[in-house]
Amino acid sequence: MTTSHGEEAPLLGAQAIDNTSIRTSSSTRKPSGEEEGTRSPPDYGVLDDAVLPEESVLGRNIDWKSAYIIAISRVIGSGIFAVPGVILTSVGSIGLSLSLWVLGAVVTACGLAVSLEYGCMLPRSGGDKVYLEFTYPRPRFFASTMIAVQAVLLGFTASNCIIFSQYVHFAFDVEARDASKKLLAVGLLTAITVVHSCWYRAGIHIQNFLGWVKVGLVLFMVFAALYVVIFKPKEDFEEEPTRLQAWDGLWEGSDWNLGTLATSLFKVFYSYAGLSNLNNVMNEVKDPVRTLKSVSLTALVTACLLYLLANLAYVAVVPIEEIKQSGQLISALFFERTFGPNVGKIFLPLAVALSAAGNVMVVTFSVARLNQEIARAGFLPFSKLLSSSKPFNAPMGGLIVHYIPSLLVIVLPPSGEVYSFILEVEGYPGQVFVLATSIGLLWLRYKRPDLERPFKAWVPAVVFRILLGFALLAAPFFPPSHPKPGGLWYATYAIVGVGILVFGVLYWLIWTVILPRLGGYRLEEKQEVLDDGTAVTDSEDGSPPHATYTDRPETYERPVESHRVHITDVTGHEAEYTLDQNGFEYVRHTAQEKDFLDEDHIRAVYYPETEQLLKDVTGASKIFIFDHTIRRQPSDQRTTNASARDRAAALRGPVNRVHIDQTYRASLSRVPHHLPAEEASELLKGRVQIINVWRPIKTVLRDPLAIADAHSVSEAELVPLQLIYPTRKGETFGVRYSPHQRWYYKHALTPEEVLLIKCFDSKTDGRARRVPHTAFSDPRAGDDVPSRESIEVRCLVFHPDDRD
């Protein structure tokens, strides 16, 4: 029975209205993929949302050279121009100091291997935040909260601002008053924050330039030291130092105290910390996985060589006693002794100051992205404001979050001890996160061997890093052999670090456990997309919809509403409905493939003809088919050439709930997941669609498919539904009922008729963007009517020239 299209009479007549309904709600089915029926068992799928590459709304602007500078420029800063003097002062001898730099390089290489495996496996901005959330999803929000607390309270860049100020004062021979040093340091921090907030691309170009200046400056130092050692030029000093006397007693004056060694190692680790800087900005890196591997290894080799050569240059030119007295000004003394009190004391120290400024730029650049990721996840107040890239298409919110603690750390402590204290207090809690990621990496090797790992860390190196991490956590509580009179207590930094970690635990406990219990609510995640394209997650007080957790059956079901609706049969009027106008289109097309029983044959024969069909209908220049689903009852096991897992995924019953296969965010994330990063980045600049090519295998007489006109379903009626797996997240749209929704179907659809369903369109100019759809029960179908058999092929459809 068909309806009168002009009158839009009820689909099955007056009697049928009471028996036919569309089921809509803000709920989701049992977590079994993007479009699975209630009859199907949970399917844990193969697509991990957490491992999908994700492109920033700013685009992928970081090429290999810029990525290398982000890594090496973070390393070459106070670490190479100031820390060697501080470490030598602490440990007392050249031999022990150089040994710690070598040990630090080995330990850093082990830690970098962990970061590389994680970064290649989970190529997304956020670094440790992404890795720990992926590895430790339980307790809920715990890993995210600890990372957020550590990033906000310790993610400052005050140390290099202080070095910049000290070297400028030294170069101009100005008395370094406490107030003037702090004022200059704050001025640098403010200027860099403004540049990165307002001129995104200009900031990248400036930090690239300063990065190459730093590399050149260190090489210049090395050649200058060789010149001094070989030619021994006469120096313009009252006393002629014996440059090589230190070589005669490399280990003289060594302090082997465990606490002293630990604090010195923390400073070495700080100096190498930038090698994993790129992990924080992966969403903006071109070809992220390959770039991360090559840049990180290149930067590691570069940094190790430069640090070793720089330390040798210092001890070859500057007497050890002067080094111990210089503190952070060791490179200034080096230049003064090498080039005299004019050029050596003015111009080259200014170059060091410029180098420190470059370090501040890259740290600010990367930490702001981490802060933005934390805000996106809803762990900061005003998360929408801080996550947005408006008004200058830059992460201004993340920069502000970085600016405030950096400003306080510069202004509040006394200048004399602030530098060493900053390095130590940053390093101690950092060891806890190093342990968490290292242990988690080994756990994932056992728990998730299925994950693709483009880079694999050497297991003995990971174990060594874990053992050393435990030793470094205990070492600060051993009293030093020669305590500094009048200074801070030797374990102050460790206590402060532990205090920050405890604060994070208490914050998590109060926010996620105590307050919800007292208030009788439950925290859930609600995701929104800002008008600049940034996806933001808010933590709300239990309002529906709640997330569905695959390991918590009590979350599978939500209230489902069944509504009597008018469904119009389009028979005879199929040509009136189009993809851009309504979001769906009926097309007559005869396929070569008929039975759809052989998976290999489907891919070899049906995929190409589906691609050509879509090109002919849409005018697209590129089609990428990312999956297909055969709708048969689960008892039908005829599909061949497929594993049991593939058959379970392929043979699914009709879905009797209104839904859209992917949210906007999930749709866009498909592009970089399935295609190479460079190609994906270019294609995302044009129009992108996801179209479901739905074809009956036999004439449909049971459970026909109904689709809603896209313009009759408002954005407010779409409900993002999160599917939370132990190690990943997925997301679909549920649909709220509205009497204004207009529903259509075609009676007795045949295998020669294809229904094109638009699941996503990147265009926002008024064309249909997405179409809710559902199967519905036809009460006229008796028990003798065969079950519905259909195939749907999901396709990425690209129009690269359509960029308006």
Side-chain angles (χ1 to χ4, degrees):
M1 177 185 293
T2 62
T3 68
S4 168
H5 178 82
E7 298 177 1
E8 293 194 346
L11 169 62
L12 299 175
Q15 180 181 4
I17 291 178
D18 295 329
N19 301 315
T20 304
S21 63
I22 293 292
R23 305 178 71 196
T24 67
S25 73
S26 60
S27 68
T28 185
R29 54 206 173 274
K30 287 187 179 183
S32 52
E34 289 179 341
E35 189 190 348
E36 296 178 41
T38 56
R39 304 184 182 92
S40 301
D43 169 29
Y44 285 81
V46 295
L47 178 62
D48 285 17
D49 184 70
V51 306
L52 291 179
E54 182 181 41
E55 180 165 334
S56 167
V57 296
L58 305 176
R60 295 192 181 274
N61 299 296
I62 301 175
D63 57 12
W64 195 97
K65 291 183 293 184
S66 296
Y68 175 75
I69 289 300
I70 287 174
I72 198 65
S73 189
R74 170 65 177 85
V75 176
I76 302 176
S78 61
I80 204 165
F81 296 120
V83 172
V86 177
I87 292 178
L88 183 56
T89 302
S90 298
V91 301
S93 73
I94 293 174
L96 186 52
S97 175
L98 292 176
S99 298
L100 288 178
W101 283 104
V102 174
L103 176 61
V106 173
V107 174
T108 299
C110 296
L112 183 63
V114 174
S115 295
L116 268 176
E117 180 165 335
Y118 265 120
C120 295
M121 184 170 60
L122 311 172
R124 309 182 80 164
S125 288
D128 284 348
K129 173 186 175 294
V130 173
Y131 312 149
L132 292 177
E133 287 176 343
F134 185 85
T135 308
Y136 303 104
R138 297 288 183 274
R140 289 183 69 215
F141 304 124
F142 182 74
S144 306
T145 302
M146 297 302 292
I147 284 288
V149 169
Q150 190 262 356
V152 173
L153 296 184
L154 294 178
F156 38 71
T157 182
S159 54
N160 278 284
C161 294
I162 293 167
I163 293 301
F164 171 83
S165 180
Q166 287 182 339
Y167 271 82
V168 170
H169 280 82
F170 178 86
F172 292 104
D173 203 17
V174 177
E175 183 179 354
R177 297 178 180 272
D178 195 64
S180 64
K181 285 196 293 185
K182 290 180 177 180
L183 182 63
L184 187 57
V186 169
L188 174 69
L189 177 67
T190 304
I192 288 175
T193 301
V194 170
V195 168
H196 278 318
S197 296
C198 302
W199 299 284
Y200 169 73
R201 291 183 181 275
I204 292 178
H205 291 314
I206 293 172
Q207 69 188 27
N208 286 353
F209 170 74
L210 293 178
W212 291 115
V213 167
K214 287 199 278 187
V215 173
L217 184 60
V218 176
L219 293 175
F220 177 73
M221 285 174 49
V222 172
F223 286 113
L226 289 174
Y227 171 78
V228 171
V229 171
I230 295 173
F231 296 103
K232 299 181 181 180
K234 183 179 179 181
E235 296 177 345
D236 189 17
F237 291 96
E238 295 181 2
E239 298 181 6
E240 179 72 16
T242 306
R243 297 191 191 91
L244 298 181
Q245 71 181 33
W247 296 103
D248 299 330
L250 284 178
W251 305 96
E252 183 178 345
S254 298
D255 184 351
W256 294 94
N257 177 267
L258 192 58
T260 302
L261 295 177
T263 57
S264 298
L265 272 176
F266 286 143
K267 296 181 178 73
V268 173
F269 297 154
Y270 167 84
S271 302
Y272 283 112
L275 293 174
S276 59
N277 211 26
L278 194 61
N279 295 63
N280 290 328
V281 296
M282 290 290 281
N283 290 2
E284 299 173 53
V285 177
K286 299 177 180 179
D287 197 358
V289 172
R290 185 169 61 181
T291 301
L292 179 67
K293 287 193 294 184
S294 60
V295 163
S296 297
L297 296 175
T298 304
L300 173 66
V301 174
T302 305
C304 292
L305 287 175
L306 291 181
Y307 273 121
L308 182 61
L309 292 174
N311 275 277
L312 293 174
Y314 290 143
V315 298
V317 174
V318 184
I320 186 171
E321 293 305 320
E322 290 192 21
I323 294 176
K324 291 180 179 180
Q325 295 172 9
S326 68
Q328 294 97 314
L329 294 173
I330 182 173
S331 60
L333 290 180
F334 171 85
F335 288 129
E336 186 177 6
R337 281 200 163 268
T338 305
F339 299 100
N342 294 319
V343 174
K345 189 176 181 180
I346 298 176
F347 295 105
L348 294 177
L350 282 178
V352 174
L354 201 63
S355 153
N359 186 280
V360 175
M361 288 203 75
V362 294
V363 173
T364 302
F365 181 86
S366 61
V367 173
R369 270 66 181 174
L370 176 57
N371 291 337
Q372 190 179 39
E373 292 300 309
I374 292 170
R376 283 181 57 193
F379 289 94
L380 293 177
F382 313 108
S383 58
K384 294 180 184 178
L385 179 64
L386 297 177
S387 301
S388 176
S389 294
K390 289 190 171 184
F392 300 110
N393 203 32
M396 182 179 288
L399 289 161
I400 293 173
V401 173
H402 170 260
Y403 179 83
I404 294 173
S406 298
L407 175 68
L408 294 177
V409 169
I410 292 172
V411 172
L412 295 181
S415 296
E417 296 187 7
V418 65
Y419 182 76
S420 291
F421 183 74
I422 288 172
L423 304 193
E424 293 160 3
V425 82
E426 282 188 69
Y428 191 82
Q431 292 304 306
V432 175
F433 294 102
V434 167
L435 283 173
T437 52
S438 301
I439 294 172
L441 190 75
L442 298 180
W443 168 247
L444 285 178
R445 291 276 190 97
Y446 166 76
K447 189 71 175 179
R448 295 296 307 277
D450 57 302
L451 292 175
E452 183 179 353
R453 292 172 170 85
F455 180 92
K456 294 187 73 172
W458 189 40
V459 172
V462 180
V463 173
F464 170 70
R465 187 66 185 91
I466 292 171
L467 296 176
L468 183 63
F470 281 116
L472 289 174
L473 289 178
F477 296 98
F478 290 83
S481 305
H482 308 288
K484 185 185 296 184
L488 295 172
W489 181 51
Y490 59 85
T492 300
Y493 73 91
I495 296 299
V496 172
V498 171
I500 290 172
L501 295 174
V502 171
F503 173 79
V505 173
L506 292 176
Y507 180 77
W508 169 81
L509 190 65
I510 294 171
W511 175 52
T512 66
V513 180
I514 296 177
L515 290 181
R517 287 183 180 177
L518 293 177
Y521 63 85
R522 173 186 175 82
L523 282 178
E524 294 295 345
E525 295 172 292
K526 173 187 174 184
Q527 192 164 84
E528 299 180 38
V529 178
L530 304 182
D531 54 7
D532 69 345
T534 302
V536 182
T537 300
D538 287 333
S539 295
E540 299 201 331
D541 63 354
S543 301
H546 65 70
T548 297
Y549 293 83
T550 62
D551 54 354
R552 288 163 48 194
E554 70 273 13
T555 66
Y556 288 176
E557 298 296 338
R558 297 191 187 90
V560 178
E561 298 175 351
S562 294
H563 294 269
R564 292 187 300 171
V565 301
H566 179 96
I567 307 178
T568 300
D569 184 2
V570 302
T571 301
H573 302 270
E574 297 91 335
E576 298 178 14
Y577 301 92
T578 64
L579 282 169
D580 283 346
Q581 180 62 36
N582 310 96
F584 63 91
E585 187 168 341
Y586 290 92
V587 180
R588 294 200 63 84
H589 180 267
T590 300
Q592 298 179 46
E593 177 66 37
K594 302 296 182 183
D595 297 323
F596 299 96
L597 297 175
D598 188 300
E599 289 288 304
D600 292 339
H601 198 259
I602 291 171
R603 290 184 170 87
V605 176
Y606 189 60
Y607 273 24
E609 57 182 336
T610 300
E611 290 182 19
Q612 189 58 51
L613 170 64
L614 280 176
K615 288 182 179 180
D616 294 340
V617 173
T618 67
S621 59
K622 181 178 178 62
I623 308 293
F624 183 90
I625 298 175
F626 57 85
D627 73 9
H628 73 271
T629 299
I630 297 174
R631 300 285 175 189
R632 293 188 178 109
Q633 293 302 318
S635 58
D636 190 335
Q637 299 294 321
R638 288 178 295 162
T639 301
T640 60
N641 290 332
S643 65
R645 179 188 179 94
D646 289 338
R647 283 198 299 271
L651 300 175
R652 300 170 182 166
V655 179
N656 291 295
R657 293 183 181 180
V658 179
H659 66 282
I660 301 173
D661 292 357
Q662 294 101 359
T663 61
Y664 301 139
R665 173 175 175 264
S667 299
L668 287 173
S669 70
R670 288 263 181 194
V671 180
H673 173 72
H674 294 294
L675 299 171
E678 293 285 351
E679 182 183 9
S681 179
E682 192 65 25
L683 289 171
L684 283 168
K685 296 176 182 177
R687 185 184 184 188
V688 179
Q689 300 170 296
I690 293 182
I691 295 177
N692 185 334
V693 181
W694 197 93
R695 179 190 296 272
I697 297 175
K698 297 179 179 178
T699 299
V700 177
L701 298 175
R702 180 189 293 276
D703 297 320
L705 191 70
I707 56 270
D709 185 287
H711 296 293
S712 72
V713 182
S714 70
E715 292 294 326
E717 293 160 11
L718 301 182
V719 185
L721 302 174
Q722 289 196 348
L723 307 179
I724 311 297
Y725 297 81
T727 55
R728 66 183 178 97
K729 294 180 182 180
E731 194 173 64
T732 64
F733 273 136
V735 182
R736 293 188 178 96
Y737 167 74
S738 169
H740 302 290
Q741 294 168 358
R742 300 190 299 274
W743 289 90
Y744 302 89
Y745 100 119
K746 187 176 189 302
H747 179 67
L749 198 67
T750 69
E752 285 68 42
E753 298 171 293
V754 174
L755 173 59
L756 304 181
I757 305 170
K758 186 187 290 188
C759 297
F760 171 75
D761 197 324
S762 61
K763 283 294 181 182
T764 58
D765 56 2
R767 282 177 270 195
R769 293 197 72 195
R770 70 291 179 274
V771 173
H773 50 282
T774 180
F776 66 96
S777 297
D778 184 345
R780 298 171 304 176
D783 294 339
D784 58 336
V785 175
S787 300
R788 189 187 91 188
E789 294 187 36
S790 60
I791 181 171
E792 54 203 69
V793 179
R794 298 184 184 91
C795 311
L796 284 165
V797 180
F798 297 103
H799 308 260
D801 296 329
D802 188 356
R803 302 192 178 193
D804 295 334

